Amino acid sequence: MSTPFPFTAVVGQDDLRLALLLNAVSPAVGGVLVRGEKGTAKSTAVRALSALMPTLDVVSGCRFSCDPDSPDPACPDGPHDPGAFETRPARMVELPVGASEDRLVGALDIERALAEGVKAFEPGLLADAHRGILYVDEVNLLHDHLVDLLLDAAAMGASYVEREGVSVRHASKFLLVGTMNPEEGELRPQLLDRFGLTVEVAASREPDQRVEVVRRRLAYDDDPAEFAARWADEETAVRQRIADARELLPSVRLGDGALRQIAATCAAFEVDGMRADIVMARTAVALAARAGRTDVLAEDVRQAALLALPHRRRRNPFDAPGLDQDKLDETLEEFAGSDGSGDEDPEPDPDPDGPGDGGGQPPASDSDGPQGGDTGARPEAGEGGEPQPSGASEQSAVRATEPFRTKVLSVPGIGEGAAGRRSRARTEHGRTTGARRPQGALTKLHLAATVQAAAPHQRARGRSGRGLVVRRDDLRQATREGREGNLVLFVVDASGSMAARQRMSAVKGAVLSLLLDAYQRRDKVGLVTFRGSAAEVALPPTSSVDAAAVRLESLPTGGRTPLAAGLLRAHDVLRVERLRDAARRALVVVVTDGRATGGPEPVALAGRAARLFAADGVASVVVDCESGPVRLGLAGRLAGELGGTAVTLDELRADSIAGLVREVQGNRRAA
């Protein structure tokens, strides 16, 4: 897009524009994460910000944008002549979700390596973004290995590349801006904390404002240059205000009163670590500088908290982001400073940035009976011992307890399924793990292996000069490893033995927690339930985790425990799904106390059904819901038949859950 949409022409979205402008004033704030539904001008506003950033002086010819006043002594293009410099606009570098590791960090210059035999480094996007903006659209969909590289660069302010015989270090300090739609999955906590500020955006529900959005967008599409010219004065005013605020920034005083309020606020909202305090302090200083003041006031601290804390505060995963503003105001009032920096309550800063640049912030018994008797459930057998329909003993649905974060359950081995975040897999995008001869078209060249294969034949091929003669047989395909999404099939016991002991509420909370984990890891999920005399597929495998949560919440309970029927129905679901998507591996999560009742030989039949999963090599975990002082260990026996492992509801929260599937599968194979 040659003419970007003007920043000041964006309608509404006050919080978004304020957060971006604060980062323009003080890049030390640490970037901004923009969360919101699609079609809310997230990307438009971010791209428009680059036009407002001050110009940079860079060393002439330096591919790493070194500052001529303090060039990087370790710059790969150095040493530099500080007298040779040029002025250019700050760059905004976009990192595509499907980018390769080579594109992000850089790699060996293949052309020069093959033609001249020279090891030369070709910079990547982290080098291009130095002293500029690194923008990641749909950052929550970014591959994990790229997230790790971003974390390292953001933490150290430099990128280190050690690969293919090349060892390079270069500065990489950038303003990290990400946009995401929460419906498509959440960010890893490590990356989430790296964003200084976060804002939630949503489309306006005011008809007049929506009309103005459409009017401006149509006018821009008709003639971008003419539309931009209409907003030139407003853009110039904002650009000048940023420059003035940057100049004033070193003079802003952050008094002890404001610091006490910052520390008290972070403690009150139980944020982890000290990064929140530092970001709040920098944001409050930037707010004061933007307002043309040299003192940080209580209003600055309050606004900084609303931008810097929502994504850092401790909360249950299903809670909506945000802060309790009444609690915030009480904390600020309690710790109001006495040095003039924390005891004032000024009017909000009037907005001189022109149209659309507002700065406001909207505000049971636990004992278990013997195997074969679902004690506590209403009697199910009628006269003559014949069972009644399952609905005869149905109990009303109970609400789930609060969900919690679970540890990772993964499928052992290496798969080749759709991209996700659960189990190891061979992928097109991931870390390079080796090389092989290409099978079909070459897609990812492994340069070092290719050169190594060609080197012994150079004399026979009549090599001349410094070049390298490479033939097709020498080419090597890079093998890469990333993560895949799986099919997580929940098999939930809804019989009377679960409900009678008031455990179903906790069970539903645990399953909801696992559903949230599946949602974040981009898995497909399915739900099979069993009770009474039969099992049913409550939800066929789908990508809609919300649908699974709704079905789980309304799940009725009661009756006997047809465990074998539940396992057989789940086995049939997996058989059909393998025909639809053979590459997607499954993880079966059986939630039960292990009891099996109803029908002839229920325990033996359940064991035979479980062994079908073991024979197919399906990864499985049994969540043991048995409680009370006397425990029969039936879920553990079931896990053994399945070839998996058993964990209790409490262990689902513990660190020991990580890797259990792999360990048990490995132990079974070793035995």
Side-chain angles (χ1 to χ4, degrees):
M1 185 181 296
S2 57
T3 304
F5 193 91
F7 186 85
T8 51
V10 175
V11 179
Q13 308 298 8
D14 296 340
D15 297 338
L16 169 58
R17 286 178 290 123
L18 175 62
L20 292 172
L21 289 172
L22 291 175
N23 277 277
V25 169
S26 175
V29 166
V32 58
L33 173 66
V34 187
R35 297 163 46 97
E37 59 195 27
K38 53 186 178 295
T40 49
K42 301 187 298 292
S43 300
T44 298
V46 173
R47 292 189 176 100
L49 176 68
S50 60
L52 302 178
M53 299 290 286
T55 57
L56 298 176
D57 290 336
V58 299
V59 174
S60 298
C62 178
R63 298 173 297 168
F64 301 87
S65 303
C66 279
D67 186 345
D69 293 334
S70 56
D72 182 4
C75 177
D77 284 355
H80 295 304
D81 177 7
F85 69 93
E86 58 189 51
T87 301
R88 62 163 176 79
R91 290 173 178 161
M92 191 190 74
V93 177
E94 293 196 38
L95 173 60
V97 169
S100 66
E101 182 178 343
D102 293 347
R103 186 71 186 97
L104 180 62
V105 302
L108 192 63
D109 188 329
I110 296 178
E111 183 176 352
R112 292 189 64 187
L114 296 180
E116 305 173 24
V118 175
K119 289 183 179 179
F121 181 70
E122 183 68 25
L125 296 178
L126 289 179
D128 294 341
H130 180 47
R131 303 177 66 201
I133 302 171
L134 181 61
Y135 171 49
V136 189
D137 192 16
E138 306 295 350
V139 63
N140 52 322
L141 303 183
L142 197 64
H143 289 280
D144 281 355
H145 71 288
L146 298 183
V147 170
D148 293 335
L149 293 170
L150 274 180
L151 290 176
D152 291 341
M156 298 183 292
S159 176
Y160 294 83
V161 184
E162 301 280 350
R163 55 186 306 181
E164 297 169 341
V166 176
S167 179
V168 175
R169 175 264 179 207
H170 64 83
S172 183
K173 298 179 181 178
F174 46 82
L175 171 58
L176 182 61
V177 180
T179 56
M180 61 174 282
N181 184 347
E183 293 179 356
E184 297 173 342
E186 291 291 345
L187 276 175
R188 286 172 54 185
Q190 297 94 326
L191 182 58
L192 192 64
D193 190 50
R194 294 296 181 183
F195 287 98
L197 310 179
T198 186
V199 292
E200 297 283 331
V201 297
S204 173
R205 299 298 184 258
E206 293 293 331
D208 290 343
Q209 195 171 68
R210 295 175 74 96
V211 166
E212 186 62 22
V213 170
V214 175
R215 181 181 290 120
R216 293 186 188 184
R217 185 68 206 192
L218 293 178
Y220 171 78
D221 290 341
D222 287 342
D223 191 340
E226 192 276 335
F227 183 82
R230 286 165 46 193
W231 294 89
D233 291 343
E234 287 82 357
E235 292 283 288
T236 300
V238 175
R239 191 178 298 111
Q240 184 59 49
R241 186 176 181 184
I242 292 173
D244 293 343
R246 281 194 169 194
E247 186 176 350
L248 182 62
L249 194 67
S251 303
V252 176
R253 186 176 71 94
L254 182 64
D256 289 342
L259 277 173
R260 282 197 298 272
Q261 287 184 313
I262 290 171
T265 301
C266 292
F269 286 99
E270 301 182 74
V271 297
D272 295 327
M274 295 298 298
R275 183 174 283 115
D277 304 63
I278 296 170
V279 171
M280 270 191 67
R282 290 171 174 168
T283 303
V285 169
L287 282 162
R290 181 174 176 271
R293 290 185 270 100
T294 56
D295 284 314
V296 173
L297 304 179
E299 181 64 23
D300 299 323
V301 175
R302 185 181 192 277
Q303 183 68 74
L306 292 173
L307 292 171
L309 296 188
H311 60 305
R312 292 187 170 94
R313 70 179 181 86
R314 290 178 178 173
R315 63 178 188 272
N316 289 320
F318 287 142
D319 287 349
L323 292 182
D324 182 340
Q325 297 196 31
D326 291 337
K327 180 178 179 180
L328 174 61
D329 291 335
E330 291 173 3
T331 303
L332 294 176
E333 182 177 354
E334 179 182 355
F335 289 88
S338 59
D339 60 354
S341 62
D343 56 355
E344 301 182 44
D345 188 17
E347 292 297 321
D349 174 44
D351 176 43
D353 285 346
D357 186 44
Q361 176 89 7
S365 171
D366 289 331
S367 62
D368 287 296
Q371 166 71 7
D374 287 348
T375 59
R378 286 181 287 182
E380 192 176 23
E383 292 183 3
E386 291 296 323
Q388 298 295 317
S390 60
S393 59
E394 181 175 307
Q395 302 177 25
S396 60
V398 297
R399 295 188 61 84
T401 58
E402 287 295 325
F404 51 86
R405 292 194 181 277
T406 65
K407 298 299 182 179
V408 181
L409 297 171
S410 60
V411 179
I414 301 179
E416 296 181 347
R421 295 176 178 173
R422 182 171 297 278
S423 304
R424 296 171 56 200
R426 297 182 183 90
T427 60
E428 285 296 316
H429 304 287
R431 62 184 181 90
T432 301
T433 58
R436 59 174 172 81
R437 290 182 180 273
Q439 299 171 350
L442 178 69
T443 56
K444 299 289 183 181
L445 177 70
H446 193 296
L447 182 59
T450 298
V451 172
Q452 186 176 5
H457 309 292
Q458 296 307 296
R459 184 181 298 274
R461 294 174 183 176
R463 170 190 170 191
S464 60
R466 300 181 63 186
L468 185 70
V469 180
V470 178
R471 295 180 178 173
R472 179 175 295 275
D473 289 344
D474 302 325
L475 298 178
R476 294 294 183 269
Q477 172 84 27
T479 57
R480 297 174 182 266
E481 183 178 309
R483 292 278 167 176
E484 67 176 2
N486 298 117
L487 166 60
V488 182
L489 183 61
F490 294 92
V491 185
V492 179
D493 183 351
S495 66
S497 67
M498 301 283 286
R501 292 158 182 79
Q502 303 299 313
R503 289 178 294 189
M504 186 52 70
S505 180
V507 167
K508 286 185 176 182
V511 177
L512 280 177
S513 304
L514 291 167
L515 281 171
L516 175 66
D517 182 68
Y519 166 74
Q520 294 172 338
R521 299 182 188 283
R522 303 205 296 275
D523 296 314
K524 291 182 70 174
V525 297
L527 178 62
V528 173
T529 64
F530 58 93
R531 66 183 184 88
S533 60
E536 64 173 339
V537 181
L539 183 71
T542 176
S543 296
S544 176
V545 176
D546 288 340
V550 170
R551 299 290 178 89
L552 182 73
E553 192 68 25
S554 60
L555 179 68
T557 59
R560 292 190 179 274
T561 311
L563 177 58
L567 295 175
L568 290 173
R569 181 59 62 93
H571 188 267
D572 190 55
V573 169
L574 294 184
R575 179 184 60 81
V576 174
E577 284 302 305
R578 277 195 293 268
L579 296 176
R580 294 174 177 171
D581 186 357
R584 187 181 290 271
R585 298 186 295 162
L587 172 64
V588 176
V589 180
V590 184
V591 185
T592 182
D593 55 10
R595 294 170 179 272
T597 62
E601 299 184 345
V603 177
L605 186 59
R608 289 196 295 270
R611 287 191 288 274
L612 292 176
F613 291 85
D616 290 343
V618 177
S620 59
V621 172
V622 177
V623 179
D624 183 0
C625 301
E626 192 175 30
S627 58
V630 179
R631 305 195 182 193
L632 304 178
L634 303 175
R637 297 180 201 169
L638 175 63
E641 299 280 6
L642 287 165
T645 187
V647 295
T648 65
L649 290 173
D650 290 336
E651 289 172 339
L652 206 54
R653 305 170 183 261
D655 293 340
S656 60
I657 191 70
L660 281 176
V661 173
R662 262 194 308 274
E663 291 171 7
V664 171
Q665 292 279 348
N667 292 340
R668 184 168 62 86
R669 285 194 296 268

